[in-house]
Amino acid sequence: EIVSLTAEPTPGGVIIATTGVAPTQGFWEPALVNVPSDNPDIYVLEFRVRPPAVSEPTGPRPTREVLAGTFLSTQTLRGARQILVVGAQNRRAVRQR
């Protein structure tokens, strides 16, 4: 589940920061991966994490949070008005300024 998404403008692009909550502890190697979109107005990223190798306890929410971020250049985002991050349970979007 994606619980937060921010887009901070920087010279030459934007920094995307995402927080997700995994179903159990032990999820690792978070990444935001570009997914092709039929709509040129929307730049789509998929929030991916690797599951634990062995069964892990559920644990309290803070111990299950997973952070992922990336830099997207102005050239990469050319024409996109919205950045959409898709997770397993939900999706979040931010508008380009």
Side-chain angles (χ1 to χ4, degrees):
E1 177 185 1
I2 299 169
V3 294
S4 73
L5 170 63
T6 60
E8 293 296 324
T10 64
V14 64
I15 296 173
I16 303 297
T18 310
T19 302
V21 177
T24 67
Q25 296 175 2
F27 280 74
W28 59 287
E29 201 172 297
L32 294 173
V33 179
N34 176 248
V35 177
S37 172
D38 293 335
N39 185 342
D41 290 340
I42 301 174
Y43 190 86
V44 181
L45 294 166
E46 188 173 83
F47 188 96
R48 296 182 185 170
V49 294
R50 292 187 184 265
V54 296
S55 182
E56 295 284 343
T58 300
R61 180 178 165 153
T63 66
R64 296 181 286 126
E65 287 185 350
V66 183
L67 311 175
T70 192
F71 173 79
L72 301 173
S73 71
T74 303
Q75 294 167 337
T76 299
L77 293 171
R78 188 175 316 134
R81 295 182 180 180
Q82 184 178 32
I83 299 167
L84 176 68
V85 178
V86 179
Q89 301 294 323
N90 65 343
R91 55 186 61 204
R92 299 253 177 176
V94 290
R95 293 228 177 254
Q96 277 286 89
R97 296 180 193 175

